[in-house]
Amino acid sequence: MLNGTTFTALHKTPLAKAFASLALAAALLSAAPVMAAEAPGKVISSKLGLPWPAVIGHRGASFDAPEETIASYTLARDLGADYLEMDIQRTKDGVLIALHDDKLGRTTNIAEVFPERAKDPVSTFTLAELKQLDAGSWFNKAYPDRARPGYVGLKILTLEEVMAIADGGANKPGLYVETKVPAQFPGIEADVRKVLEKGGWLSQRPAAAKGHVSVASTPGRVILQTFEKPSLELLQKEMPNVPKILLLWIGDGYMEAKSNVAYKDSGYKDYASFYAAQEVKSPAEFEAWLDWAKTHGANGIGPASKLTHGGDQSYMDMMKPWMTKMAHDKGLVIHPYTVDDPVDFKALKAQGADGFFTNRASVLLKFYGRPSKDSIDTILKRNGY
Ligand code: G3P
Ligand code: CA
């Protein structure tokens, strides 16, 4: 340490002055906090006008309420999810609806209402027919611990109805719209554009009141997503200015796998173990998909992910660090699906996730340090469930 006399003496010559200035600068620099570089996905998201990190309510808040129903979407909205996620299909009479499966057996009472047509595709039913179905009771049977009498008789929703839900609360989430099995619905990309346009979702929307989610007022108010390359091309043609995500999968006509052994011949006893063993053929194959996605309008990827505790949402690991680095280096945002457990939020965040598709928006919001002020039970009761 310098004492006062030495310090004064040192300042008597120009060289000494320069030395003292350098010493002072070094001391100041070492005392300053180290500035962390911004996460690459944060920079990319910000350029696109997307929230970071993003909480994407997968089929609404579908852990706690029947997927893609009003109970599920109002819960996700009121918890504070950034996006309501939905799978879009089209009825026989041309109406866009939010429904995941292309058959009705898992999530409705089709077998009671139209027994002879129980295995027919969604596309063969009119909206009036679909509106006769109960899309809530299956949940009470499947998950008795989360069952509620108010779920009985819930209806399949149209895209317009989901848009109204997004707009109907104090929080104003965005829409994360997937074209589901689009090969069954020629022209569905243009239909999506027309419905979004009519509802005012392709132009500026007012901001939410202070302190509420306001994604619907940002350039990222709608994100379009698809697993299918032809659909991405059509979405880009119809809505070139709307952010897009190519969902990723290994095998079955998607990214080529290292091994082509089918599940039934693999010896694995469950799909999660089988998927966990699937690997992309090569880094070049992975890179070719990213390059194709980018060239055809994608701003990001939605990779499948392997979950710590397995289960029926655990797929192949497409979140390996070299993969996420490659995607970020190419300027692509990364939203993996479908993740509900803090163990996985932590691990995948460290690997580069810029948000998650989640059935449990409440858990993810807590993980990101912005928990809902109301409990799930309070919100459900307030909304009539
Ligand atoms: O859309 C992201 C994720 O939802 C993809 O899986 O089958 O739930 O639509 P899926
Ligand atoms: Ca989906």
Side-chain angles (χ1 to χ4, degrees):
M1 178 180 282
L2 298 171
N3 64 37
T5 314
T6 319
F7 184 80
T8 308
L10 271 173
H11 277 71
K12 283 183 178 163
T13 67
L15 187 62
K17 276 185 185 168
F19 175 77
S21 301
L22 276 174
L24 186 62
L28 286 172
L29 272 177
S30 67
V34 177
M35 300 293 284
E38 284 232 279
K42 184 176 183 182
V43 176
I44 301 163
S45 300
S46 153
K47 280 188 192 149
L48 292 166
L50 307 182
W52 188 94
V55 175
I56 305 157
H58 182 247
R59 310 181 199 174
S62 59
F63 181 86
D64 293 288
E67 63 186 57
E68 311 207 25
T69 65
I70 186 170
S72 183
Y73 284 127
T74 49
L75 177 57
R77 178 196 69 193
D78 295 350
L79 282 166
D82 293 311
Y83 288 100
L84 307 185
E85 192 267 351
M86 73 209 77
D87 306 286
I88 297 297
Q89 300 187 61
R90 190 171 60 204
T91 66
K92 188 180 174 186
D93 48 342
V95 182
L96 298 186
I97 56 162
L99 194 71
H100 181 269
D101 300 5
D102 64 345
K103 303 276 173 61
L104 293 147
R106 181 177 66 87
T107 61
T108 77
N109 62 341
I110 184 80
E112 291 163 25
V113 183
F114 299 108
E116 305 82 34
R117 299 167 65 195
K119 298 204 168 138
D120 292 356
V122 170
S123 57
T124 63
F125 291 82
T126 64
L127 182 64
E129 288 170 338
L130 293 177
K131 285 286 188 185
Q132 293 174 45
L133 302 176
D134 173 347
S137 290
W138 72 273
F139 182 93
N140 287 352
K141 287 179 204 130
Y143 308 109
D145 53 322
R146 284 169 256 156
R148 288 178 180 252
Y151 292 163
V152 174
L154 288 174
K155 301 295 178 201
I156 290 172
L157 298 173
T158 64
L159 170 55
E160 284 188 317
E161 287 169 332
V162 181
M163 285 158 42
I165 292 168
D167 215 14
N171 286 330
K172 306 289 183 193
L175 306 173
Y176 211 123
V177 180
E178 179 180 352
T179 50
K180 192 54 111 189
V181 286
Q184 289 186 26
F185 304 104
I188 197 165
E189 296 80 6
D191 293 346
V192 168
R193 175 183 55 73
K194 285 176 206 154
V195 174
L196 290 172
E197 213 160 47
K198 186 172 161 225
W201 280 85
L202 298 184
S203 26
Q204 183 62 49
R205 298 173 75 75
K210 201 167 181 303
H212 291 95
V213 173
S214 197
V215 174
S217 69
T218 70
R221 67 182 68 85
V222 177
I223 301 181
L224 302 165
Q225 46 158 344
T226 183
F227 280 102
E228 311 300 331
K229 287 180 170 180
S231 192
L232 179 66
E233 290 181 285
L234 291 168
L235 289 169
Q236 175 66 0
K237 178 170 162 271
E238 294 294 335
M239 291 166 275
N241 300 319
V242 177
K244 291 168 203 77
I245 296 285
L246 184 64
L247 300 166
L248 302 182
W249 185 257
I250 297 172
D252 295 340
Y254 298 95
M255 264 187 215
E256 201 175 329
K258 260 190 188 151
S259 151
N260 287 317
V261 178
Y263 172 68
K264 65 178 171 51
D265 306 317
S266 69
Y268 286 107
K269 300 220 164 5
D270 60 84
Y271 272 101
S273 311
F274 171 71
Y275 289 143
Q278 302 306 301
E279 288 199 58
V280 67
K281 184 183 171 196
S282 64
E285 168 74 357
F286 189 81
E287 183 162 27
W289 272 73
L290 299 198
D291 288 342
W292 188 95
K294 202 170 167 180
T295 311
H296 293 83
N299 308 97
I301 53 170
S305 51
K306 181 165 85 93
L307 306 179
T308 307
H309 299 301
D312 59 8
Q313 289 184 156
S314 187
Y315 307 122
M316 51 286 297
D317 180 4
M318 303 184 83
M319 286 290 292
K320 291 183 168 54
W322 69 263
M323 296 172 161
T324 56
K325 180 174 185 323
M326 187 186 282
H328 279 155
D329 285 351
K330 291 178 186 293
L332 295 165
V333 78
I334 303 170
H335 291 161
Y337 63 92
T338 300
V339 186
D340 291 345
D341 188 327
V343 171
D344 297 307
F345 294 149
K346 189 170 176 212
L348 296 171
K349 179 186 168 195
Q351 284 163 222
D354 298 313
F356 294 96
F357 290 90
T358 183
N359 302 319
R360 305 191 75 174
S362 61
V363 180
L364 181 54
L365 286 162
K366 195 168 165 204
F367 175 79
Y368 281 145
R370 49 181 179 115
S372 166
K373 71 174 172 32
D374 294 324
S375 71
I376 289 166
D377 188 55
T378 298
I379 296 171
L380 284 171
K381 280 188 180 141
R382 194 169 60 214
N383 290 344
Y385 308 102

